[in-house]
Tab-separated table of all heavy atoms in Angstrom:
chain	number	residue	atom	x	y	z
A	20	TRP	N	-40.072	29.293	-55.471
A	20	TRP	CA	-38.842	29.521	-56.230
A	20	TRP	C	-38.840	30.823	-57.021
A	20	TRP	O	-37.857	31.124	-57.703
A	20	TRP	CB	-38.581	28.333	-57.148
A	20	TRP	CG	-38.301	27.113	-56.341
A	20	TRP	CD1	-39.095	26.020	-56.208
A	20	TRP	CD2	-37.172	26.888	-55.495
A	20	TRP	NE1	-38.526	25.119	-55.343
A	20	TRP	CE2	-37.347	25.628	-54.882
A	20	TRP	CE3	-36.035	27.627	-55.178
A	20	TRP	CZ2	-36.427	25.095	-53.989
A	20	TRP	CZ3	-35.116	27.091	-54.288
A	20	TRP	CH2	-35.315	25.837	-53.708
A	21	ILE	N	-39.888	31.627	-56.912
A	21	ILE	CA	-39.912	32.914	-57.622
A	21	ILE	C	-38.697	33.778	-57.261
A	21	ILE	O	-38.064	34.353	-58.154
A	21	ILE	CB	-41.251	33.648	-57.388
A	21	ILE	CG1	-42.373	32.895	-58.113
A	21	ILE	CG2	-41.176	35.101	-57.857
A	21	ILE	CD1	-43.767	33.399	-57.818
A	22	PRO	N	-38.299	33.875	-55.972
A	22	PRO	CA	-37.098	34.664	-55.659
A	22	PRO	C	-35.830	34.150	-56.372
A	22	PRO	O	-34.984	34.952	-56.782
A	22	PRO	CB	-36.961	34.542	-54.142
A	22	PRO	CG	-38.354	34.271	-53.663
A	22	PRO	CD	-38.981	33.429	-54.746
A	23	LEU	N	-35.726	32.837	-56.549
A	23	LEU	CA	-34.571	32.300	-57.273
A	23	LEU	C	-34.551	32.819	-58.706
A	23	LEU	O	-33.511	33.253	-59.212
A	23	LEU	CB	-34.590	30.770	-57.271
A	23	LEU	CG	-33.531	30.100	-58.159
A	23	LEU	CD1	-32.147	30.266	-57.550
A	23	LEU	CD2	-33.848	28.633	-58.371
A	24	TYR	N	-35.710	32.796	-59.361
A	24	TYR	CA	-35.777	33.287	-60.734
A	24	TYR	C	-35.421	34.770	-60.804
A	24	TYR	O	-34.716	35.207	-61.712
A	24	TYR	CB	-37.179	33.066	-61.323
A	24	TYR	CG	-37.591	31.612	-61.414
A	24	TYR	CD1	-38.811	31.190	-60.911
A	24	TYR	CD2	-36.753	30.677	-61.993
A	24	TYR	CE1	-39.193	29.854	-60.992
A	24	TYR	CE2	-37.134	29.346	-62.079
A	24	TYR	CZ	-38.348	28.938	-61.566
A	24	TYR	OH	-38.712	27.622	-61.651
A	25	VAL	N	-35.894	35.544	-59.833
A	25	VAL	CA	-35.591	36.978	-59.802
A	25	VAL	C	-34.087	37.207	-59.620
A	25	VAL	O	-33.492	38.068	-60.286
A	25	VAL	CB	-36.409	37.685	-58.689
A	25	VAL	CG1	-35.965	39.121	-58.496
A	25	VAL	CG2	-37.895	37.613	-59.006
A	26	ILE	N	-33.465	36.427	-58.749
A	26	ILE	CA	-32.013	36.554	-58.526
A	26	ILE	C	-31.250	36.196	-59.799
A	26	ILE	O	-30.306	36.903	-60.190
A	26	ILE	CB	-31.568	35.676	-57.336
A	26	ILE	CG1	-32.100	36.268	-56.036
A	26	ILE	CG2	-30.050	35.536	-57.288
A	26	ILE	CD1	-31.979	35.357	-54.828
A	27	VAL	N	-31.642	35.109	-60.465
A	27	VAL	CA	-30.962	34.716	-61.710
A	27	VAL	C	-31.122	35.811	-62.761
A	27	VAL	O	-30.150	36.166	-63.446
A	27	VAL	CB	-31.486	33.354	-62.226
A	27	VAL	CG1	-30.962	33.057	-63.621
A	27	VAL	CG2	-31.102	32.236	-61.264
A	28	ILE	N	-32.313	36.372	-62.872
A	28	ILE	CA	-32.530	37.463	-63.832
A	28	ILE	C	-31.634	38.657	-63.495
A	28	ILE	O	-31.013	39.252	-64.382
A	28	ILE	CB	-34.031	37.875	-63.848
A	28	ILE	CG1	-34.854	36.784	-64.538
A	28	ILE	CG2	-34.229	39.221	-64.541
A	28	ILE	CD1	-36.356	36.944	-64.385
A	29	GLY	N	-31.542	38.983	-62.221
A	29	GLY	CA	-30.655	40.076	-61.798
A	29	GLY	C	-29.209	39.820	-62.189
A	29	GLY	O	-28.516	40.710	-62.701
A	30	PHE	N	-28.747	38.596	-61.961
A	30	PHE	CA	-27.370	38.246	-62.330
A	30	PHE	C	-27.171	38.261	-63.841
A	30	PHE	O	-26.099	38.627	-64.325
A	30	PHE	CB	-26.978	36.881	-61.757
A	30	PHE	CG	-26.409	36.970	-60.378
A	30	PHE	CD1	-27.168	36.593	-59.282
A	30	PHE	CD2	-25.119	37.428	-60.172
A	30	PHE	CE1	-26.657	36.684	-58.001
A	30	PHE	CE2	-24.593	37.523	-58.891
A	30	PHE	CZ	-25.364	37.151	-57.794
A	31	LEU	N	-28.195	37.867	-64.596
A	31	LEU	CA	-28.086	37.929	-66.059
A	31	LEU	C	-27.864	39.368	-66.515
A	31	LEU	O	-26.990	39.633	-67.354
A	31	LEU	CB	-29.331	37.339	-66.721
A	31	LEU	CG	-29.438	35.817	-66.745
A	31	LEU	CD1	-30.845	35.382	-67.126
A	31	LEU	CD2	-28.415	35.210	-67.687
A	32	PHE	N	-28.640	40.298	-65.969
A	32	PHE	CA	-28.460	41.715	-66.327
A	32	PHE	C	-27.078	42.213	-65.902
A	32	PHE	O	-26.407	42.928	-66.648
A	32	PHE	CB	-29.548	42.585	-65.692
A	32	PHE	CG	-30.836	42.576	-66.466
A	32	PHE	CD1	-31.945	41.900	-65.989
A	32	PHE	CD2	-30.937	43.244	-67.679
A	32	PHE	CE1	-33.139	41.889	-66.697
A	32	PHE	CE2	-32.127	43.238	-68.407
A	32	PHE	CZ	-33.226	42.555	-67.914
A	33	TRP	N	-26.652	41.812	-64.708
A	33	TRP	CA	-25.363	42.268	-64.184
A	33	TRP	C	-24.197	41.727	-65.008
A	33	TRP	O	-23.262	42.452	-65.339
A	33	TRP	CB	-25.255	41.857	-62.720
A	33	TRP	CG	-23.951	42.208	-62.075
A	33	TRP	CD1	-23.298	43.417	-62.104
A	33	TRP	CD2	-23.138	41.350	-61.291
A	33	TRP	NE1	-22.133	43.354	-61.390
A	33	TRP	CE2	-22.009	42.080	-60.875
A	33	TRP	CE3	-23.251	40.021	-60.888
A	33	TRP	CZ2	-21.006	41.544	-60.080
A	33	TRP	CZ3	-22.256	39.499	-60.098
A	33	TRP	CH2	-21.137	40.242	-59.703
A	34	ARG	N	-24.247	40.439	-65.345
A	34	ARG	CA	-23.103	39.802	-66.012
A	34	ARG	C	-23.114	39.947	-67.533
A	34	ARG	O	-22.066	39.903	-68.159
A	34	ARG	CB	-23.036	38.319	-65.654
A	34	ARG	CG	-22.816	38.019	-64.197
A	34	ARG	CD	-21.622	38.727	-63.616
A	34	ARG	NE	-20.401	38.381	-64.262
A	34	ARG	CZ	-19.306	37.957	-63.679
A	34	ARG	NH1	-19.283	37.832	-62.375
A	34	ARG	NH2	-18.237	37.675	-64.371
A	35	LEU	N	-24.297	40.088	-68.132
A	35	LEU	CA	-24.371	40.103	-69.594
A	35	LEU	C	-24.702	41.471	-70.185
A	35	LEU	O	-24.505	41.676	-71.378
A	35	LEU	CB	-25.431	39.099	-70.082
A	35	LEU	CG	-25.239	37.638	-69.716
A	35	LEU	CD1	-26.397	36.810	-70.249
A	35	LEU	CD2	-23.909	37.106	-70.237
A	36	GLY	N	-25.234	42.357	-69.392
A	36	GLY	CA	-25.742	43.609	-69.940
A	36	GLY	C	-27.194	43.422	-70.349
A	36	GLY	O	-27.679	42.302	-70.505
A	37	TRP	N	-27.899	44.543	-70.523
A	37	TRP	CA	-29.342	44.447	-70.703
A	37	TRP	C	-29.761	43.786	-72.004
A	37	TRP	O	-30.743	43.060	-72.034
A	37	TRP	CB	-30.004	45.809	-70.518
A	37	TRP	CG	-29.752	46.800	-71.627
A	37	TRP	CD1	-28.712	47.671	-71.731
A	37	TRP	CD2	-30.554	46.995	-72.774
A	37	TRP	NE1	-28.810	48.402	-72.877
A	37	TRP	CE2	-29.953	48.011	-73.545
A	37	TRP	CE3	-31.736	46.417	-73.246
A	37	TRP	CZ2	-30.481	48.449	-74.746
A	37	TRP	CZ3	-32.260	46.863	-74.442
A	37	TRP	CH2	-31.635	47.868	-75.184
A	38	LYS	N	-29.035	44.012	-73.100
A	38	LYS	CA	-29.453	43.419	-74.383
A	38	LYS	C	-29.347	41.898	-74.357
A	38	LYS	O	-30.303	41.189	-74.684
A	38	LYS	CB	-28.598	43.965	-75.525
A	38	LYS	CG	-28.885	45.377	-75.914
A	38	LYS	CD	-28.000	45.764	-77.083
A	38	LYS	CE	-28.126	47.230	-77.429
A	38	LYS	NZ	-27.222	47.624	-78.503
A	39	LYS	N	-28.175	41.416	-73.968
A	39	LYS	CA	-27.980	39.964	-73.920
A	39	LYS	C	-28.910	39.323	-72.885
A	39	LYS	O	-29.469	38.250	-73.116
A	39	LYS	CB	-26.532	39.624	-73.592
A	39	LYS	CG	-25.552	39.954	-74.689
A	39	LYS	CD	-24.133	39.587	-74.259
A	39	LYS	CE	-23.118	39.945	-75.316
A	39	LYS	NZ	-21.744	39.622	-74.879
A	40	ALA	N	-29.066	40.005	-71.746
A	40	ALA	CA	-29.916	39.457	-70.686
A	40	ALA	C	-31.355	39.311	-71.159
A	40	ALA	O	-31.990	38.277	-70.909
A	40	ALA	CB	-29.857	40.341	-69.442
A	41	LEU	N	-31.881	40.319	-71.840
A	41	LEU	CA	-33.260	40.225	-72.336
A	41	LEU	C	-33.425	39.068	-73.319
A	41	LEU	O	-34.454	38.376	-73.298
A	41	LEU	CB	-33.684	41.542	-72.992
A	41	LEU	CG	-34.004	42.690	-72.042
A	41	LEU	CD1	-34.338	43.957	-72.825
A	41	LEU	CD2	-35.145	42.330	-71.099
A	42	ILE	N	-32.440	38.847	-74.148
A	42	ILE	CA	-32.511	37.741	-75.103
A	42	ILE	C	-32.500	36.396	-74.366
A	42	ILE	O	-33.303	35.502	-74.668
A	42	ILE	CB	-31.368	37.829	-76.140
A	42	ILE	CG1	-31.590	39.054	-77.041
A	42	ILE	CG2	-31.266	36.549	-76.962
A	42	ILE	CD1	-30.414	39.392	-77.939
A	43	VAL	N	-31.617	36.262	-73.380
A	43	VAL	CA	-31.544	35.006	-72.619
A	43	VAL	C	-32.830	34.789	-71.817
A	43	VAL	O	-33.362	33.676	-71.763
A	43	VAL	CB	-30.295	34.984	-71.705
A	43	VAL	CG1	-30.319	33.793	-70.766
A	43	VAL	CG2	-29.027	34.976	-72.551
A	44	ILE	N	-33.352	35.842	-71.211
A	44	ILE	CA	-34.608	35.724	-70.455
A	44	ILE	C	-35.741	35.309	-71.394
A	44	ILE	O	-36.566	34.450	-71.052
A	44	ILE	CB	-34.930	37.048	-69.731
A	44	ILE	CG1	-33.913	37.287	-68.616
A	44	ILE	CG2	-36.349	37.040	-69.175
A	44	ILE	CD1	-33.894	38.697	-68.088
A	45	GLY	N	-35.777	35.902	-72.586
A	45	GLY	CA	-36.779	35.496	-73.578
A	45	GLY	C	-36.657	34.028	-73.941
A	45	GLY	O	-37.667	33.317	-74.062
A	46	ALA	N	-35.420	33.551	-74.088
A	46	ALA	CA	-35.195	32.135	-74.396
A	46	ALA	C	-35.669	31.244	-73.250
A	46	ALA	O	-36.277	30.192	-73.476
A	46	ALA	CB	-33.718	31.889	-74.699
A	47	CYS	N	-35.412	31.674	-72.014
A	47	CYS	CA	-35.879	30.901	-70.853
A	47	CYS	C	-37.404	30.852	-70.807
A	47	CYS	O	-37.987	29.797	-70.520
A	47	CYS	CB	-35.330	31.497	-69.557
A	47	CYS	SG	-33.561	31.244	-69.306
A	48	LEU	N	-38.043	31.981	-71.098
A	48	LEU	CA	-39.513	32.002	-71.120
A	48	LEU	C	-40.066	31.094	-72.215
A	48	LEU	O	-41.049	30.374	-71.987
A	48	LEU	CB	-40.014	33.435	-71.315
A	48	LEU	CG	-39.827	34.366	-70.120
A	48	LEU	CD1	-40.202	35.796	-70.492
A	48	LEU	CD2	-40.647	33.890	-68.924
A	49	LEU	N	-39.444	31.111	-73.380
A	49	LEU	CA	-39.882	30.221	-74.458
A	49	LEU	C	-39.701	28.750	-74.060
A	49	LEU	O	-40.529	27.900	-74.408
A	49	LEU	CB	-39.125	30.526	-75.750
A	49	LEU	CG	-39.508	31.840	-76.438
A	49	LEU	CD1	-38.535	32.139	-77.581
A	49	LEU	CD2	-40.937	31.778	-76.946
């Protein structure tokens, strides 16, 4: 499922912008 996570991360950057995406990715990692 690593490719799924990479795709979701890509969409987060695309749809939210880099600042919001990094925060959401950090929340997912936590």
Side-chain angles (χ1 to χ4, degrees):
W20 294 110
I21 290 172
L23 172 72
Y24 298 130
V25 172
I26 290 168
V27 170
I28 288 169
F30 272 105
L31 283 167
F32 278 107
W33 177 49
R34 297 307 300 233
L35 300 178
W37 71 272
K38 287 182 186 177
K39 291 180 182 178
L41 285 177
I42 292 170
V43 171
I44 292 164
C47 289
L48 289 173
L49 288 171

